[in-house]
């Protein structure tokens, strides 16, 4: 389960909407060894594509150097889908496996509906995709304009 503050979810959604119609990508770092997401790091989609994302290698190195200096690790790697549901594609699973972050949560935000962004979290290891629930902490009354979906039971939590 991904346990995350509503401010971080809102930051990912805002980044995804700001980069629309291109896919957005970024990370959320946390103190090393805790698995706790704390710091939002929006990044550049080097592919500048509506259907694909790629982390910029120079920016990736700078971000990793900063995380190293701060004793942080990647807790969440996220990107957006602009025209499809928030579910990893084959290329997404391949990218996640190449990143070499087996403990990370992979969050997808879809911006195909301009009013409601769907947010889902997955674990991806060796290109095997497993969806996990999301628990948003903090002030739930501040959470607006997105929904959480989790399969296989198809429960949808509308947060407004």
């Amino acid at each position: 389960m991904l346990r995350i503050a509503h401010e971080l979810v809102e930051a990912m959604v805002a980044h995804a909407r700001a980069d629309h119609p291109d896919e957005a990508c970024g990370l959320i770092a946390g103190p090393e060894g805790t698995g706790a997401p704390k710091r939002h790091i929006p990044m550049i989609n080097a592919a500048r594509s509506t259907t694909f994302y790629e982390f910029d290698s120079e920016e990736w190195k700078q971000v990793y150097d900063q995380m190293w200096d701060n004793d942080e690790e990647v807790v969440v790697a996220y990107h957006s889908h602009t025209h499809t549901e928030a579910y990893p594609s084959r290329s997404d699973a391949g990218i996640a496996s190449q990143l070499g972050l087996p403990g990370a949560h992979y969050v997808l935000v879809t911006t195909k509906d301009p009013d409601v962004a769907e947010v889902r979290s997955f674990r991806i290891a060796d290109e095997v995709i497993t969806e996990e629930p999301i628990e948003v902490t903090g002030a739930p009354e501040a959470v607006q304009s997105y929904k959480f979906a989790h399969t296989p039971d198809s429960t949808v939590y509308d947060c407004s």
Side-chain angles (χ1 to χ4, degrees), residues 84-98:
T84 60
E85 72 172 318
Y87 191 86
S89 66
R90 275 191 205 167
S91 61
D92 294 340
I95 291 169
S97 294
Q98 289 173 357

Side-chain angles (χ1 to χ4, degrees), residues 8-27 40-43 45 49-50 78-84 86 107-114 116-119 145-146:
L8 295 172
V9 175
E10 289 191 0
M12 289 186 292
V13 170
H15 181 207
R17 286 186 173 145
D19 281 10
H20 188 88
D22 289 342
E23 288 193 4
C25 58
L27 304 171
H40 177 240
I41 307 165
M43 296 178 70
N45 178 355
S49 170
T50 61
Y78 74 90
H79 77 279
S80 63
H81 281 182
T82 59
H83 297 90
T84 60
V107 171
L108 276 147
V109 177
T110 186
T111 57
K112 65 182 180 178
D113 180 334
V116 179
E118 183 181 10
V119 179
S145 72
Y146 57 89

Side-chain angles (χ1 to χ4, degrees), residues 33-56:
T34 67
K38 297 292 183 188
R39 185 169 65 92
H40 177 240
I41 307 165
M43 296 178 70
I44 296 167
N45 178 355
R48 301 205 189 282
S49 170
T50 61
T51 59
F52 184 76
Y53 79 99
E54 179 180 20
F55 289 107
D56 178 81

